[in-house]
Amino acid sequence: MRYPLSAAATLLLALSTTAIAQQAEDGELVLATPESLGVTPEQFAKMGFAKGAMIRRETSKSRRSFGYIEFGEAVEQPQTPPATRDVAPGAVLAQQQVRIEQRRWRVAAPIAIGAPFNTILEAETRFLHLTDAADGSRPCARNVPYKPYTPAQDAAGNIFPVICLHGRDADGRYRTARFLPYYPARAQPRDVAIAPVELEPIAPGVVDPHFPALIAIRRLRVVKLDADGMQISVERMVKQTSAAAPLDVKGLPDTAFHTLGTHRIPLRSGAATTIDGLTLTLRQHGSVWEVESTGALAPWGQVDANRTELIFGDEVFGPVPE
């Protein structure tokens, strides 16, 4: 089954263009609310809108797509279940967690950019990798959530919110900064020559509070235990986080998880089932039932070859179609 990344990567894009959307000359004029911006109340509070503020929400005609964020490798974060444990409804028998970062780079020294923009990208400026059919894959600097940002403008007042690096030579350095216009009908991309610059990758797991990661969790949970047997639900959740530590899901309601399927074990000692590499065996000790775990859940999360889709078993999370 395919899902749009409306609650994940596209949220990053939506938050990144919020400041630009306020300057739009076309688009629908709406009241600034969490719903109109597609963010949570907590995220909206951090944006600092005055009560009653109006913004121009982009329409399909006014929207400028700069490409889709590319993801790095899916990193499995081990979640070792107990070899044996008592079981009761609600017990989590095994859990698997995957962390997926955006592909991020940075520059060690400032980049001076001449006319018509005459600006400087500071040292440590972060670049994300973006990709689309028209412009291929390239590293781009853009505004990020919750961080003040003023897009570049040319002499005519056209805004260029994204700066991409092009002209990578055999030595691995870039020599051109390409400015992408917010309104392609009014202005063309502008190329400005720059002194040769190198990018260095930001390693997976290095936390940047402005670039959330995605955490995907799969778990096996007991949903029923009665005379007919034990019913196990296979559940998953995909959530954004900026924390370095594994996501703590103890306080989340069960409704935060989506059920992928169920398995049943007859209520007798020695009965077993295998779920994607993990074998669960029931053992009875008096009135107490235990589950013995052997093996391990097979690797689950991965990123597709284009690095814009996330694959979790039979489920695919991809960009929202244009």
Side-chain angles (χ1 to χ4, degrees):
M1 184 175 294
R2 172 176 288 277
Y3 296 85
L5 274 176
S6 55
T10 54
L11 175 59
L12 306 182
L13 292 173
L15 291 176
S16 297
T17 56
T18 297
I20 302 166
Q22 296 175 64
Q23 304 177 33
E25 297 177 9
D26 53 359
E28 179 187 6
L29 190 65
V30 297
L31 179 67
T33 64
E35 293 75 19
S36 64
L37 291 174
V39 299
T40 66
E42 292 76 14
Q43 292 165 337
F44 181 77
K46 293 180 180 179
M47 292 179 179
F49 285 107
K51 185 176 181 180
M54 302 294 289
I55 63 169
R56 290 196 180 274
R57 182 172 56 190
E58 298 169 271
T59 66
S60 59
K61 294 182 179 180
S62 67
R63 179 179 172 206
R64 169 66 164 100
S65 173
F66 299 107
Y68 297 120
I69 294 175
E70 292 186 10
F71 293 98
E73 298 298 331
V75 179
E76 193 88 22
Q77 296 182 309
Q79 303 281 319
T80 304
T84 303
R85 61 168 301 167
D86 296 346
V87 295
V92 176
L93 304 179
Q95 184 168 294
Q96 187 177 33
Q97 186 163 297
V98 176
R99 183 182 179 91
I100 300 176
E101 304 279 355
Q102 300 169 51
R103 297 184 74 189
R104 302 167 297 162
W105 276 259
R106 64 186 173 194
V107 291
I111 301 176
I113 299 174
F117 302 106
N118 300 316
T119 187
I120 294 179
L121 294 182
E122 299 176 353
E124 297 297 313
T125 293
R126 262 52 170 174
F127 285 76
L128 295 178
H129 236 77
L130 304 182
T131 186
D132 63 20
D135 211 19
S137 177
R138 72 279 186 201
C140 298
R142 57 183 296 139
N143 59 314
V144 297
Y146 317 135
K147 188 174 182 180
Y149 176 79
T150 302
Q153 296 188 36
D154 64 11
N158 296 306
I159 58 175
F160 294 76
V162 176
I163 307 170
C164 300
L165 297 182
H166 284 257
R168 184 178 183 182
D169 291 342
D171 62 2
R173 295 189 290 180
Y174 297 88
R175 291 170 168 77
T176 300
R178 177 168 297 172
F179 288 72
L180 301 182
Y182 190 67
Y183 297 109
R186 304 178 192 173
Q188 296 298 311
R190 303 288 293 272
D191 286 353
V192 180
I194 58 175
V197 62
E198 295 182 24
L199 293 180
E200 55 184 19
I202 299 176
V206 175
V207 175
D208 187 324
H210 299 299
F211 293 111
L214 293 177
I215 295 292
I217 295 174
R218 179 171 61 162
R219 71 182 188 181
L220 309 183
R221 186 172 65 94
V222 178
V223 294
K224 188 177 181 181
L225 183 64
D226 58 22
D228 293 330
M230 180 173 67
Q231 184 173 320
I232 302 168
S233 176
V234 182
E235 303 168 335
R236 68 104 175 117
M237 178 182 65
V238 180
K239 186 176 177 65
Q240 285 187 148
T241 180
S242 59
L247 183 67
D248 183 7
V249 299
K250 294 179 180 179
L252 294 175
D254 293 334
T255 53
F257 287 81
H258 172 70
T259 299
L260 301 176
T262 58
H263 296 255
R264 182 176 172 277
I265 306 178
L267 196 65
R268 67 172 185 270
S269 189
T273 188
T274 299
I275 303 174
D276 205 8
L278 180 68
T279 298
L280 302 172
T281 305
L282 270 176
R283 305 291 185 192
Q284 185 177 20
H285 299 279
S287 61
V288 176
W289 288 93
E290 295 180 343
V291 166
E292 179 182 282
S293 303
T294 56
L297 289 170
W300 178 49
Q302 59 180 306
V303 179
D304 79 318
N306 293 325
R307 316 205 74 84
T308 58
E309 292 186 338
L310 311 179
I311 303 170
F312 303 109
D314 296 331
E315 298 184 306
V316 178
F317 291 75
V320 176
E322 292 292 336

